[in-house]
Amino acid sequence: MLNTAQTSYDIVILGAGFGGLGMGAQLKMQGIDNFIILERGARIGGVWRDNAYPGAACDTESHLYCYSFYPHLRVSKMYADRDELLRYMDAMAARYDLMKHVKLNSELSQAHWDEQANRWAFELADGRRLQGRFFVPAWGQLNKPAIPAFKDLETFAGHAFHSAQWPEGLDLTGKKVASIGAAASAVQYVPEVAKQASHLTVFQRSANWIMPRNQMVFSREQLDAYSAQPQLYEESRRTLHAFRENGFARTRHGTDAQQEGIKMATGHLAAQVSDEALRAKLTPDYEFACKRILRSDDYYPALMRSNVTLETAAVDRFVPEGIIDKNGTLHELDSVIFGTGFESQAFHGDLQVTGTRGQTLHDRWAQGAEAYLGMTVPGFPNMFMIYGPNTNLNHNSIITMLEIQQRYIIQAVKGLGEHPRTAVDVKPDTFHAYNDSLQTNMQSSAFSSDCSSWYKNAAGKVINNWSGTVDEYRALAAEWKVDDYRLLVARESVYS
């Protein structure tokens, strides 16, 4: 069990999802043990804990969606479902003895840089206080559900909830249900809800580019071979990585690869939807890859069911009986599912993070979040983010990005190991040069195209996505360079 009397740590990690747990595992492998992982939830798992809707699964190949140092050798299928990914995280936590470092039900409310001591001071929601030399927020990008301010929502007499807050034991059998939203989560839960509901109405704001998923279930013989000869698994992982890296070209303006992606997606739509009018509604009117590219083999068939309607008229308002759309049509409903996404650019959520000279991260990011290598921000010394601004992907496994960041952070921690009174703060010139280059590169990307996307802020700046391949990011972040940082020496010689 965690020693609750301890209040000072070398490293304070925020979040026990894939990012935070992987950080802990890599620290343990390096013999670094004086760290804590603060988790606001009642169990580990992050986004996979929160998204318990039926059909929840990963749309990245399983052999890529795991850490290289802890391969998911016996994952049952190529696209793992939510429960199997939770079991993987549980097993990884056990393998690296992480639970003694994890503090559950511990919501961080304030993080403040102490300029006298060169340490972070933390306050939890329950009033507890901690100190840490390094602060590693692994807070994710898709962890705060967003529900638009629909008119008269409070008057609805039925049951309404966000897909990331799915009620345990919910039975929609025989119910009239609506899904507001038709993107990444909806394409997974809609086929499952359609099997239960007497009628399901899917409100679609814009169509999605959807690629075939081509699920593969591994045989016992294949799994036994991977377990007995892990090099076979690694060969599969390398092949898939190269395949997905090559797919990055599909996200660039006007490339042959982008045209190939359009052909695959429209071919998939044509093969699964015979109704011409429905096909027209499901055909995107924006550039391929401007929004997240989805993968599904059962979403389109679900929309072809007699008890499912795709509605492209927007929601006008709620009434006790259901929803009235912009055409004035009443949709009588028992339940409404909000597949309306997340506050993807509120990286720090409600957490108040205060750096040098009293500046807050909220104010620093008022015009949009940005960081050097997606990890560090001037004025916030010894703070290294995992899955920070401009590190999301639309073509490969985010777990590989997390692993690169964790190794970079360990280099920084070890690099300062012999200088306990010293902290590092990324140089503004380094920070600005990096982000200027990133945004320049982004201009040739479909991510910057004219569509409504959670990748961009209100001003149209791409905040979430990385502008290149994983291998390009790896080359930039492979080595922690002390020359990129200012060295700060503590004014106090003794830490409390």
Side-chain angles (χ1 to χ4, degrees):
M1 297 294 292
L2 180 73
N3 178 9
T4 55
Q6 184 177 350
T7 60
S8 183
Y9 299 87
D10 288 337
I11 303 143
V12 174
I13 301 168
L14 177 59
F18 258 102
L21 293 174
M23 185 75 247
Q26 295 227 48
L27 289 171
K28 297 283 279 194
M29 287 189 291
Q30 294 294 320
I32 301 171
D33 201 59
N34 186 22
F35 66 90
I36 187 174
I37 303 176
L38 299 175
E39 171 54 54
R40 68 182 177 186
R43 68 152 290 157
I44 64 174
V47 67
W48 294 109
R49 175 199 61 223
D50 295 341
N51 286 268
Y53 58 79
C58 189
D59 58 5
T60 298
E61 292 88 346
S62 302
H63 289 186
L64 293 176
Y65 201 83
C66 61
Y67 284 111
S68 68
F69 57 81
Y70 191 67
H72 202 174
L73 294 176
R74 298 198 69 86
V75 64
S76 66
K77 43 190 173 286
M78 188 56 81
Y79 297 95
D81 60 30
R82 175 249 189 186
D83 290 346
E84 193 161 18
L85 292 170
L86 282 177
R87 290 195 295 272
Y88 169 82
M89 283 188 271
D90 288 340
M92 183 172 71
R95 166 64 180 82
Y96 294 100
D97 197 20
L98 295 178
M99 293 310 296
K100 75 177 186 180
H101 299 273
V102 174
K103 192 64 175 174
L104 300 172
N105 300 306
S106 297
E107 182 173 3
L108 190 59
S109 60
Q110 293 186 45
H112 176 82
W113 177 250
D114 184 339
E115 296 185 57
Q116 296 292 323
N118 265 3
R119 291 177 76 80
W120 283 95
F122 304 98
E123 183 172 333
L124 278 63
D126 60 9
R128 285 175 292 163
R129 296 176 183 273
L130 301 172
Q131 292 182 2
R133 186 181 182 196
F134 295 93
F135 180 29
V136 181
W139 41 38
Q141 296 188 11
L142 301 173
N143 59 16
K144 190 173 182 180
I147 298 177
F150 290 107
K151 184 179 179 181
D152 298 330
L153 172 57
E154 71 281 359
T155 68
F156 179 51
H159 190 196
F161 55 91
H162 193 279
S163 63
Q165 297 164 332
W166 201 275
E168 185 176 357
L170 177 67
D171 185 3
L172 295 174
T173 302
K175 304 292 186 182
K176 291 174 288 186
V177 183
S179 169
I180 300 181
S185 297
V187 300
Q188 295 187 342
Y189 67 69
V190 160
E192 301 303 316
V193 173
K195 298 172 187 176
Q196 301 178 30
S198 62
H199 192 272
L200 170 62
T201 303
V202 180
F203 285 87
Q204 174 188 277
R205 184 175 62 175
S206 59
N208 292 286
W209 292 106
I210 301 180
M211 307 289 274
R213 192 171 183 225
N214 298 326
Q215 177 69 284
M216 176 191 300
V217 178
F218 298 117
S219 67
R220 180 179 293 275
E221 290 74 19
Q222 286 175 300
L223 297 180
D224 288 345
Y226 288 140
S227 295
Q229 303 176 69
Q231 65 270 23
L232 296 177
Y233 185 99
E234 290 304 319
E235 181 180 343
S236 171
R237 183 180 171 94
R238 286 193 299 270
T239 300
L240 287 168
H241 175 80
F243 172 74
R244 296 300 294 263
E245 285 287 85
N246 289 337
F248 176 74
R250 294 176 182 169
T251 70
R252 313 301 285 181
H253 292 311
T255 60
D256 290 342
Q258 188 182 57
Q259 290 303 310
E260 177 192 7
I262 293 171
K263 183 177 180 180
M264 290 180 64
T266 54
H268 183 50
L269 173 60
Q272 291 200 315
V273 178
S274 57
D275 183 272
E276 185 176 350
L278 182 58
R279 254 199 334 269
K281 290 182 178 181
L282 291 168
T283 301
D285 59 359
Y286 55 87
E287 185 176 1
F288 184 83
C290 182
K291 295 177 184 280
R292 179 176 174 181
I293 300 169
L294 307 181
R295 291 176 179 270
S296 175
D297 292 330
D298 52 5
Y299 178 66
Y300 288 149
L303 297 180
M304 294 284 289
R305 293 173 61 111
S306 60
N307 69 324
V308 178
T309 301
L310 181 70
E311 181 58 73
T312 55
V315 173
D316 181 65
R317 67 188 186 277
F318 278 78
V319 292
E321 299 85 359
I323 289 172
I324 296 178
D325 66 28
K326 292 291 187 180
N327 293 333
T329 302
L330 170 64
H331 301 264
E332 294 186 355
L333 300 166
D334 300 304
S335 297
V336 173
I337 305 164
F338 292 107
T340 46
F342 301 84
E343 296 183 20
S344 59
Q345 291 162 19
F347 292 88
H348 55 299
D350 298 325
L351 172 62
Q352 182 177 331
V353 182
T354 305
T356 59
R357 300 180 181 178
Q359 68 176 318
T360 66
L361 197 58
H362 180 271
D363 289 343
R364 175 77 200 220
W365 283 350
Q367 303 304 314
E370 55 185 1
Y372 175 55
L373 299 174
M375 288 186 273
T376 62
V377 180
F380 297 84
N382 280 14
M383 185 178 81
F384 294 88
M385 290 173 283
I386 294 174
Y387 198 20
N390 292 114
T391 63
N392 185 62
L393 301 175
N394 195 356
H395 79 283
N396 209 329
S397 174
I398 189 59
I399 307 302
T400 309
M401 295 287 280
L402 304 183
E403 189 167 341
I404 293 167
Q405 292 158 23
Q406 291 154 4
R407 290 176 174 172
Y408 181 93
I409 294 167
I410 284 176
Q411 289 183 53
V413 169
K414 295 180 76 172
L416 293 177
E418 297 180 359
H419 309 281
R421 298 180 61 226
T422 302
V424 289
D425 190 12
V426 65
K427 294 176 179 176
D429 288 350
T430 300
F431 170 87
H432 289 300
Y434 171 82
N435 281 287
D436 288 348
S437 175
L438 186 154
Q439 292 300 327
T440 297
N441 293 338
M442 201 69 75
Q443 296 309 304
S444 61
S445 170
F447 305 152
S448 63
S449 294
D450 185 19
C451 75
S452 175
S453 164
W454 64 264
Y455 300 153
K456 297 180 290 188
N457 66 5
K461 180 179 179 180
V462 179
I463 299 296
N464 295 80
N465 280 17
W466 166 234
S467 61
T469 67
V470 172
D471 289 341
E472 287 171 338
Y473 181 79
R474 191 196 315 274
L476 286 174
E479 181 184 358
W480 177 73
K481 300 174 182 177
V482 68
D483 289 345
D484 289 339
Y485 294 83
R486 296 187 303 121
L487 299 180
L488 309 177
V489 179
R491 300 174 206 172
E492 291 185 1
S493 60
V494 179
Y495 299 147
S496 57

